Amino acid sequence: MLFSLLYAIVLYPIVYIFPAYAANGAPVLFGGGKPIDRKRKINGKRIFGDNKTVRGLVASLICGIAVGLIEYPFLHFMLPIAILLAVGANIGDLAGSFIKRRMNVPSGRSVLILDQYGFFVVAVLLAAPLGHLPGLYGMIFLIILTGITHILTNVGAHRLKLKKVPW
Ligand code: CTP
Ligand code: MG
């Protein structure tokens, strides 16, 4: 009883969202180099900015899908979901940067909610049609977890000198 509740609200939601987390975290470790927008501008403002790199995007897709491949033997449906989560996480992340640049926010400067939840919302929306979504309480848990994880990983990455700023 207690275990099945714990599984439904904590464990399964983490397994479900993990490809998106991997996709979001990988660029911090493996990113860098040429920017995706090749320094192009729209109305004098960068499309995505220097911090969205081709290497980061490729690493993100590989890591997100790799998590899906690891989960696949246990949960067959997680592979296609992981692919959509990884693609969605990147669309959300790039859309966030695109919006920040339109608002004249420099690369790396934080915008609350957009930074923490952009990747998450688009990843879940893209994967949702395939079903197997966590239930309401599981999703609420994930919303809280995503906020906390974002704060902890960014402070950690800053301390490890992987990121210039702690957010
Ligand atoms: N990163 C990357 N390529 C990507 C996404 C991220 O190389 N496609 C790396 C960059 O080094 C970036 C770091 O991961 O600085 C953290 O990513 P994120 O917080 O999403 O970007 P920001 O630096 O905050 O830039 P922006 O203002 O555009 O959101
Ligand atoms: Mg950021």
Side-chain angles (χ1 to χ4, degrees):
M1 172 62 191
L2 185 67
F3 179 77
S4 60
L5 214 64
L6 207 69
Y7 180 79
I9 297 176
V10 176
L11 212 58
Y12 177 71
I14 292 175
V15 168
Y16 179 89
I17 207 66
F18 216 77
Y21 282 3
N24 198 238
V28 181
L29 295 173
F30 306 114
K34 288 199 176 69
I36 295 167
D37 64 11
R38 297 199 221 131
K39 300 209 179 263
R40 276 177 299 192
K41 295 177 179 178
I42 295 176
N43 294 332
K45 298 168 190 170
R46 285 288 293 274
I47 301 175
F48 301 123
D50 278 335
N51 291 4
K52 298 294 130 120
T53 66
V54 176
R55 190 138 56 85
L57 175 64
V58 173
S60 173
L61 292 171
I62 290 175
C63 288
I65 294 166
V67 171
L69 283 170
I70 293 167
E71 293 181 350
Y72 173 76
F74 309 98
L75 297 167
H76 274 34
F77 58 80
M78 276 311 295
L79 185 54
I81 287 176
I83 294 169
L84 291 184
L85 287 173
V87 172
N90 280 290
I91 294 174
D93 190 46
L94 288 172
S97 292
F98 182 79
I99 293 167
K100 283 163 81 173
R101 300 301 89 82
R102 291 330 97 200
M103 301 186 336
N104 292 317
V105 177
S107 285
R109 179 83 62 80
S110 83
V111 171
L112 225 60
I113 309 295
L114 198 62
D115 281 339
Q116 290 78 5
Y117 291 105
F119 85 94
F120 175 83
V121 170
V122 181
V124 170
L125 283 179
L126 208 66
L130 294 189
H132 302 284
L133 271 179
L136 178 63
Y137 293 116
M139 288 307 295
I140 292 171
F141 169 72
L142 281 186
I143 290 167
I144 297 166
L145 183 71
T146 301
I148 294 172
T149 310
H150 193 270
I151 294 167
L152 293 181
T153 51
N154 281 296
V155 170
H158 177 64
R159 295 238 171 116
L160 293 170
K161 302 199 188 325
L162 291 168
K163 275 193 84 173
K164 288 196 194 90
V165 288
W167 52 78

